[in-house]
Amino acid sequence: MSRILTAILLALGLGACAAVSSDRPLFTAIDARDAPVARPGLWVMPSAGCRFSPRASAASWPDCANGALVTAASLIGGKRDATGAFTEALNYQLASGDPAVMQILTPASRDAGDPGIIYVGIRPLAADAEGQITQARVWMALCGPPAIVAGPPAAKPAKLSPGLTPVKGKTYCVAKTQTALRAAIARSEAWAFQGKPDDFGLIARWVRDGEK
């Protein structure tokens, strides 16, 4: 699994085993109309308790800062090269809605058991003068309540949340329609932000232009 995908999944809580996926992309360019736009540049999505200085060089930040370069269509992060530049990228598309949905295509080099697509809810909290998002709630679409999907296999329910289908031999699930996916995103937001120290929902924020 690529480092940036691993960082996203770990930061958002439970890993690929809990993620809602799909057999094909559920959103196209048409769904991007009127979708919010993330301000390009260096972003962070710090885990609870992470301490770092946003003003310092991004190369000095701890892993828990979950730094990444955001462009109009890619999340670039993971391991840095000798110059300090990020070396891995994931393509994404933002789909409009309340909340917006980020559809992330995972790399072809992913592990055989990992999903090809994951979905993240995006609820803008702040924007710049041009209306570009500079801060947002982010959370992963889950197959069921986190206390269940994070537990041992025997604790997992026989039935997933409505509209989701198990995948034989895999530990993630799939949504066949946008309606099912958006319902999973909505349920997952309630699970993600409960005011607890172990909440898996995080706040992502723009730091500055560039990637360093």
Side-chain angles (χ1 to χ4, degrees):
M1 185 183 293
S2 73
R3 289 175 180 264
I4 184 172
L5 178 59
T6 298
I8 290 171
L9 293 175
L10 290 178
L12 292 178
L14 303 168
C17 63
V20 177
S21 185
S22 59
D23 297 326
R24 57 177 176 77
L26 294 177
F27 300 101
T28 67
I30 294 176
D31 301 297
R33 294 175 182 173
D34 300 321
V37 176
R39 179 168 178 172
L42 187 63
W43 282 68
V44 292
M45 188 173 59
S47 302
C50 186
R51 295 186 176 184
F52 67 103
S53 172
R55 295 183 179 181
S57 166
S60 71
W61 293 347
D63 291 343
C64 63
N66 297 307
L69 177 65
V70 176
T71 71
S74 298
L75 304 173
I76 305 170
K79 187 177 180 180
R80 290 176 177 271
D81 62 20
T83 69
F86 291 120
T87 58
E88 299 176 355
L90 298 176
N91 293 329
Y92 76 87
Q93 180 170 296
L94 273 175
S96 59
D98 182 18
V101 178
M102 179 178 281
Q103 175 177 267
I104 302 174
L105 304 182
T106 63
S109 59
R110 64 184 179 275
D111 293 343
D114 291 337
I117 305 170
I118 60 173
Y119 295 92
V120 174
I122 305 288
R123 188 172 293 284
L125 299 176
D128 61 17
E130 285 72 43
Q132 299 175 114
I133 305 171
T134 56
Q135 184 171 310
R137 271 183 165 195
V138 292
W139 66 96
M140 189 165 68
L142 297 182
C143 300
I148 295 176
V149 294
K156 294 181 181 179
K159 293 184 179 180
L160 301 173
S161 295
L164 304 180
T165 305
V167 181
K168 185 176 181 180
K170 308 295 183 182
T171 51
Y172 57 87
C173 62
V174 297
K176 298 292 186 181
T177 65
Q178 287 188 15
T179 299
L181 186 279
R182 288 188 183 278
I185 286 284
R187 287 191 297 270
S188 297
E189 182 178 18
W191 299 329
F193 297 95
Q194 299 186 44
K196 299 178 180 179
D198 59 348
D199 278 354
F200 69 88
L202 297 175
I203 304 298
R205 66 179 187 272
W206 178 87
V207 177
R208 57 178 173 265
D209 294 326
E211 63 177 288
K212 300 179 182 179

